[in-house]
Amino acid sequence: MTYNVNGKAFDREPEPGQCLRTFLRALGHHGVKKGCDAGDCGACTVWLDGSPVHSCITPAFRAEGHEVTTIEGLGSPGSLHPMQRRFRDAPGFQCGFCTAGMIMTSAAFTEAQKADLPRALKGNLCRCTGYRAVEDAVKGVVGVETAKPGKAVGTSVGAPAANDVVTGRAEFTMDTRMEGMLHLKVVHSPHAHARILAIDKTAALAVPGVHRVYTWQDVPRRRFTTAIHTDHLVDPDDTYILDDTVRFVGQRVVAVLADTPGAAEEGCRKVVVEYERLPAVFDPEEAMAEGAPQIHGTPDPFVRDPVRNILLELHSHIGDVEAGFAEADVIHEGTYSSPRVQHAHLETHGSIAWMEDGRLNVRTSSQSPSIAKVKLSYLFALRPDQLRVFCKRVGGGFGGKQEVISEDLVALATLDTGRPVCFEYTREEEFTTASPRHPMSLTVKLGAKADGTLTAVQVRNVSNTGAYGNHGGETLYAGGAAVMIYRCPNKKYDAYSVYTNTVPSGALRGYGMTQPAFAMESAMHELALALHMDPLELRRRNIVRPGDPLVALHDGPDDVTFTEDGLAKCIDLVDRAMARPAPEPNLGPGWLIGSGVASSLHETAPPTEHISEAWVTLGDDLVYEVAVGTAEFGEGTSTAHVQIAAGQLGTTPSRIRLVQSDTDRTGFDTGAFASAGLFVSGNAVLRASNAVRDRILEFAAAHTGVHLVMCSMDDDGVTCGDRRVSLAELVALARARGIRFTAARKAYGSPRSVTSNTQGFRIAVHRVTGEIRILYSVQATDAGVVINPQQVRGQVEGAVAQGIGFALTENFLLDADGAVVNPNFRNYRIPTYADVPRTEVLLVDSADSVGPLRAKGMAECSINPVAPALANALHDATGIRYRALPLTPERIYSRLGEKQHVSKA
């Protein structure tokens, strides 16, 4: 069969039933991505005779005799297609995994399609950007700026990998081919709770191409936690690589290793597993009840109460809440619940392992290769020098890749066989086996005097950690931030992280604060109405101010500095924005209009120790190499690190070469989560850059005999008094003396500071269908000194889009046996372009006390006020309080109908 791909003709016979996506990737066209393999996300879009098609649902044989164009054939770094240039210059991407498909779709648009982007982009999903950056790219809006030497900070410079991203040449985890690579697939449990009695491998091993079938008897019997933190003791060691007891539908039971994915899948189908089914429990309240099935028999000492299935419980109080409620003129109490939410990063989890010079190498999609290395060393009894773990570009994370859930199996198989092994999750496995946001139910009781002064705050939080602990304990602690945001002398917080026979929960943007923020901010809105007070005014009267103790779980000392009134500024900015005259929406009859606001407060680093080390070196080519362990997955830390280094070294971003996320080539880094990629790693880069600058200046001063204070650095030289010495000359002189201009510095996530934000929405709700349309969205955020304005706006826009999904559409649906019944994009429904409004982003004028160059990491917290602001707007529009997410049309309609029925009666 003859194919024409990117202008080149060749003869090739596809495999029976092979799709065009895998066919093209086998030819080396790695810009064609896998996001869903169901025609839902558009990451695999290519042109067939100039028309965009989803190659994952296009049979390869249908391309015979036709012209196929992939992103690599559209343009090259030196000769960009106009649409590639637009996406680079907007910029129209963050992680970049969806970008090739977005460009291939957009580059074929007619003028009519450009005028109707909600319809034209319906087949392409993006989880990072919130779509406004994509719209800007399509329309040719330029956001990227050029920085002058030493002036990079505060400028919207482009990402270092921009050209590679828009041309499909940026390498993601699975974008490589290795000779002799084996493929690993997994048999998953069909039962929510069962003991494995026997596993028959015979038929599986007889499948042509199958090499190994691994069971719990073939793996190290070492307990560990898949969660990633520097201090592993904060998470429970309740997990095995493979186990003889399964605790949720989807838990991996057997791993099959074969020459091809097809052979591995067939091997999985041939494995025979004999189970003894055990009683299961899916609701956390039922799981804590006396007589409930016990999920973990011999737990880690960290587990609080295995008999009641409690991983961790917190009980704290300040003051006397009963006395506080007795003082109150008004008391409000309500229970608020939020569901599981999937990260839906378009790149699924995946890892590749191989042996090289007697060492195990693991290439993985991780937010923390350093700690992944620590865990693998422990599991397989390897010395640190026997193992390398690294990342290429990571296709989205949002906390989902703050786990070790694919690396262990490839390491096992490679250590066993000596051959390269890859393991790539399917989209269904992301839903059924990866770690979604914790479902939580929070009962909030608030007391206030008539003037709005809070007298008592009481919260009971029940969190469903699923079958394994992972991040269950730390997210429970994090929820205290929702209580911390308001001043009150009497607070009580009772919280439970509970095991159930459901998919394990994990880290997701907002990290344990998103669900309590929904509850607390909804309750504050209801309290304000009971007090006949403006909800923003109630917040103003009670928010913490600089000098106030940040009291949540205890009133003891901590390492958090609170020096700025950023939250009050956020509230004021949103208040003014929401008060501006708005155009009358052209909606027709049957629509109800409402507005709502909510706020959140967030610590700028996690309370567990966070560490980062950066190395900076001036090379012989006069380029500064900055090596830092932080992974880049769309959060923009790579760009910020380059800007910080360029600013301190008096140069431009083009003179900075970044090396990152490789345990062989960078220092230890806890990982890119909780916004620590900027706050902690940024400080490490800042300190290392300053150290190199000082060494160059000291060397130049000694060389010229001029006092150090008379020396200053510029882009390519040092001026000492009235003499200027080029960097080239200084490097040559230093080399001759055996001196290198290099330095390493560490930074820690302590002391910490706080950042804050306020979200406002104006919405329309249809009184018959329950449909919600967002008419206006605004968020004010306290980012301190802004390193890159365009990136800050992009992070807020992306967080708002994710928050809209959390609030309105996203929900795991489980059947009576605990199985996920909607494990795909089509039925799970993350927001599309048409669902997301353009958010007005307002930046507070502030400066952090401890962040790099007085900047704050803020991408984590921007999601937290979104759901409660929408819920408050919905209440304002309908007069009905909805306390359970998501706010789906059917859920809204059912109660609107009740109200209309009552009013008619």
Side-chain angles (χ1 to χ4, degrees):
M1 302 175 75
T2 301
Y3 290 85
N4 293 280
V5 179
N6 296 333
K8 295 181 179 178
F10 62 95
D11 292 329
R12 180 77 171 258
E13 192 78 20
E15 297 293 327
Q18 186 173 23
C19 71
L20 184 57
R21 183 190 70 79
T22 58
F23 183 68
L24 291 170
R25 285 183 63 84
L27 296 172
H29 301 291
H30 292 139
V32 185
K33 303 300 185 191
K34 175 189 122 174
C36 65
D37 273 345
D40 295 330
C41 76
C44 67
T45 302
V46 300
W47 287 355
L48 199 59
D49 292 337
S51 296
V53 299
H54 289 181
S55 60
C56 70
I57 55 172
T58 302
F61 75 84
R62 289 191 179 170
E64 182 188 12
H66 298 277
E67 183 63 42
V68 178
T69 307
T70 72
I71 189 70
E72 295 94 339
L74 193 66
S76 64
S79 180
L80 296 178
H81 182 279
M83 190 56 72
Q84 291 173 314
R85 189 176 300 109
R86 288 182 174 193
F87 269 77
R88 181 197 65 186
D89 294 344
F93 65 91
Q94 286 180 23
C95 85
F97 197 81
C98 73
T99 305
M102 283 283 186
I103 291 174
M104 295 305 294
T105 298
S106 304
F109 282 165
T110 63
E111 291 303 315
Q113 287 174 311
K114 290 179 184 178
D116 188 10
L117 290 181
R119 180 178 294 275
L121 282 173
K122 67 179 181 179
N124 289 79
L125 297 178
C126 175
R127 190 57 153 175
C128 296
T129 65
Y131 297 103
R132 297 311 103 186
V134 173
E135 176 187 307
D136 286 345
V138 173
K139 293 183 175 180
V141 177
V142 174
V144 168
E145 301 171 321
T146 301
K148 295 179 181 179
K151 305 293 184 183
V153 171
T155 304
S156 294
V157 302
N163 272 351
D164 286 340
V165 168
V166 301
T167 57
R169 287 160 174 79
E171 277 194 49
F172 291 83
T173 307
M174 309 309 292
D175 294 343
T176 187
R177 292 177 294 174
M178 301 187 75
E179 193 68 31
M181 182 180 288
L182 300 176
H183 299 264
L184 190 145
K185 292 289 183 179
V186 170
V187 176
H188 299 283
S189 169
H191 304 301
H193 199 192
R195 184 177 296 111
I196 296 172
L197 301 179
I199 300 175
D200 188 349
K201 309 177 183 179
T202 308
L205 288 168
V207 172
V210 169
H211 291 260
R212 298 283 194 278
V213 176
Y214 300 109
T215 73
W216 66 273
Q217 295 173 308
D218 303 308
V219 303
R221 197 68 176 167
R222 290 194 170 194
R223 287 182 177 271
F224 75 112
T225 173
T226 62
I228 281 177
H229 291 106
T230 303
D231 181 1
H232 70 93
L233 296 178
V234 302
D235 306 308
D237 289 335
D238 59 4
T239 305
Y240 290 111
I241 297 174
L242 295 170
D243 203 352
D244 60 347
T245 300
V246 293
R247 296 177 174 87
F248 69 98
V249 175
Q251 180 169 333
R252 59 194 194 186
V253 176
V254 175
V256 176
L257 193 63
D259 289 328
T260 65
E265 289 170 356
E266 180 62 16
C268 288
R269 286 189 283 269
K270 296 293 186 181
V271 173
V272 178
V273 184
E274 183 182 348
Y275 298 95
E276 177 192 355
R277 295 186 66 173
L278 302 172
V281 60
F282 308 118
D283 179 84
E285 294 283 3
E286 294 176 8
M288 288 191 289
E290 185 177 351
Q294 190 173 325
I295 297 172
H296 286 274
T298 310
D300 181 86
F302 182 92
V303 177
R304 180 65 56 87
D305 187 347
V307 175
R308 295 173 59 215
N309 294 310
I310 296 175
L311 165 67
L312 178 70
E313 57 183 294
L314 303 175
H315 301 287
S316 63
H317 70 275
I318 296 99
D320 184 339
V321 292
E322 294 307 322
F325 286 121
E327 291 180 49
D329 295 313
V330 173
I331 294 175
H332 165 73
E333 185 172 4
T335 298
Y336 306 84
S337 61
S338 50
R340 288 177 182 81
V341 175
Q342 234 290 322
H343 307 80
H345 36 69
L346 289 198
E347 179 200 47
T348 61
H349 285 83
S351 297
I352 301 172
W354 69 94
M355 300 300 296
E356 187 174 321
D357 298 327
R359 300 175 73 225
L360 177 65
N361 287 255
V362 179
R363 169 174 167 154
T364 183
S365 59
S366 174
Q367 291 176 232
S368 178
S370 292
I371 296 181
K373 175 178 176 175
V374 171
K375 288 185 180 290
L376 293 177
S377 296
Y378 160 72
L379 286 172
F380 299 104
L382 299 172
R383 298 189 314 270
D385 64 305
Q386 294 178 298
L387 174 62
R388 172 198 182 199
V389 179
F390 70 101
C391 303
K392 291 294 186 177
R393 194 172 181 90
V394 178
F398 315 112
K401 294 170 182 175
Q402 195 186 337
E403 307 258 359
V404 172
I405 57 176
S406 63
E407 297 88 346
D408 52 348
L409 285 179
V410 295
L412 168 78
T414 290
L415 288 170
D416 176 38
T417 65
R419 291 180 61 175
V421 174
C422 73
F423 176 33
E424 183 178 17
Y425 271 43
T426 65
R427 181 55 58 186
E428 181 173 339
E429 286 173 322
E430 288 291 331
F431 282 95
T432 58
T433 71
S435 303
R437 189 187 298 282
H438 293 76
M440 289 186 184
S441 177
L442 292 102
T443 299
V444 179
K445 185 177 180 181
L446 303 176
K449 293 184 178 180
D451 66 357
T453 303
L454 288 174
T455 61
V457 175
Q458 182 171 335
V459 176
R460 181 179 186 269
N461 181 3
V462 177
S463 174
N464 187 345
T465 195
Y468 295 93
N470 300 7
H471 295 266
E474 287 300 283
T475 52
L476 206 65
Y477 277 104
V483 178
M484 179 175 67
I485 190 172
Y486 296 112
R487 281 183 281 112
C488 183
N490 307 299
K491 294 181 178 181
K492 192 171 190 293
Y493 184 73
D494 298 294
Y496 306 84
S497 182
V498 186
Y499 287 115
T500 64
N501 293 114
T502 58
V503 59
S505 304
L508 205 163
R509 192 181 208 161
Y511 198 78
M513 289 171 279
T514 313
Q515 309 94 313
F518 166 64
M520 191 71 182
E521 291 300 290
S522 296
M524 283 293 286
H525 186 94
E526 292 190 74
L527 178 64
L529 297 181
L531 289 163
H532 305 290
M533 182 178 292
D534 177 75
L536 277 180
E537 182 58 30
L538 180 64
R539 287 176 172 81
R540 284 193 182 96
R541 294 188 184 191
N542 291 284
I543 57 171
V544 289
R545 304 277 184 165
D548 290 340
L550 294 173
V551 177
L553 305 184
H554 62 83
D555 56 1
D558 58 32
D559 64 345
V560 179
T561 62
F562 183 33
T563 60
E564 292 185 290
D565 207 3
L567 180 54
K569 293 178 181 178
C570 287
I571 290 173
D572 290 344
L573 285 174
V574 168
D575 192 11
R576 289 197 292 269
M578 295 290 288
R580 291 197 302 257
E584 192 70 28
N586 183 22
L587 294 169
W591 292 89
L592 306 169
I593 308 297
S595 297
V597 295
S599 295
S600 67
L601 192 74
H602 177 67
E603 294 161 346
T604 51
T608 50
E609 187 178 29
H610 207 105
I611 305 169
S612 181
E613 183 176 10
W615 307 337
V616 176
T617 303
L618 177 59
D620 292 341
D621 58 358
L622 306 184
V623 171
Y624 295 94
E625 182 172 279
V626 175
V628 62
T630 304
E632 173 61 67
F633 55 93
E635 77 283 25
T637 54
S638 296
T639 314
H641 292 165
V642 167
Q643 288 181 259
I644 291 169
Q648 300 312 107
L649 294 164
T651 188
T652 61
S654 62
R655 290 274 303 282
I656 306 294
R657 178 171 56 244
L658 196 63
V659 176
Q660 59 190 149
S661 56
D662 186 331
T663 60
D664 268 12
R665 302 181 62 195
T666 62
F668 182 90
D669 192 285
T670 297
F673 51 86
S675 295
L678 175 70
F679 186 77
V680 183
S681 303
N683 260 329
V685 171
L686 176 70
R687 294 169 186 174
S689 300
N690 285 342
V692 168
R693 179 198 61 202
D694 292 346
R695 289 187 182 185
I696 294 171
L697 289 173
E698 289 165 3
F699 185 87
H703 172 64
T704 59
V706 176
H707 197 281
L708 181 61
V709 298
M710 300 295 291
C711 298
S712 62
M713 242 176 111
D714 58 35
D715 189 25
D716 58 0
V718 177
T719 299
C720 297
D722 57 1
R723 181 180 172 188
R724 188 175 186 282
V725 186
S726 70
L727 283 181
E729 182 180 349
L730 290 173
V731 168
L733 288 168
R735 283 291 189 200
R737 301 178 194 178
I739 297 172
R740 295 181 67 211
F741 297 130
T742 186
R745 292 293 185 271
K746 292 180 181 179
Y748 300 86
S750 181
R752 300 175 291 151
S753 55
V754 296
T755 185
S756 51
N757 40 36
T758 298
Q759 174 71 40
F761 283 111
R762 186 176 301 112
I763 68 170
V765 186
H766 198 277
R767 68 173 72 245
V768 175
T769 66
E771 177 190 353
I772 289 179
R773 292 186 186 176
I774 299 173
L775 306 177
Y776 177 59
S777 170
V778 58
Q779 184 171 131
T781 187
D782 175 14
V785 171
V786 175
I787 302 292
N788 188 307
Q790 194 73 22
Q791 285 194 167
V792 168
R793 289 185 173 88
Q795 288 297 313
V796 173
E797 290 167 349
V800 172
Q802 273 191 304
I804 289 170
F806 173 55
L808 300 186
T809 63
E810 299 181 42
N811 188 13
F812 277 57
L813 301 176
L814 303 183
D815 66 16
D817 297 317
V820 180
V821 298
N822 58 333
N824 52 66
F825 284 147
R826 188 163 303 183
N827 296 317
Y828 177 74
R829 273 276 287 131
I830 70 171
T832 66
Y833 175 93
D835 300 315
V836 180
R838 180 177 285 276
T839 293
E840 182 178 2
V841 179
L842 306 175
L843 303 179
V844 165
D845 181 15
S846 68
D848 194 52
S849 55
V850 291
L853 301 176
R854 309 192 77 184
K856 298 182 182 183
M858 42 58 64
E860 179 90 17
C861 60
S862 296
I863 192 173
N864 292 335
V866 175
L870 276 169
N872 292 338
L874 179 60
H875 180 266
D876 186 50
T878 64
I880 301 172
R881 170 53 62 173
Y882 295 84
R883 294 176 179 160
L885 298 178
L887 304 171
T888 57
E890 53 271 24
R891 182 171 283 173
I892 295 169
Y893 168 74
S894 63
R895 294 193 56 201
L896 278 175
E898 291 172 13
K899 182 179 180 182
Q900 290 172 8
H901 177 75
V902 170
S903 63
K904 288 177 182 178

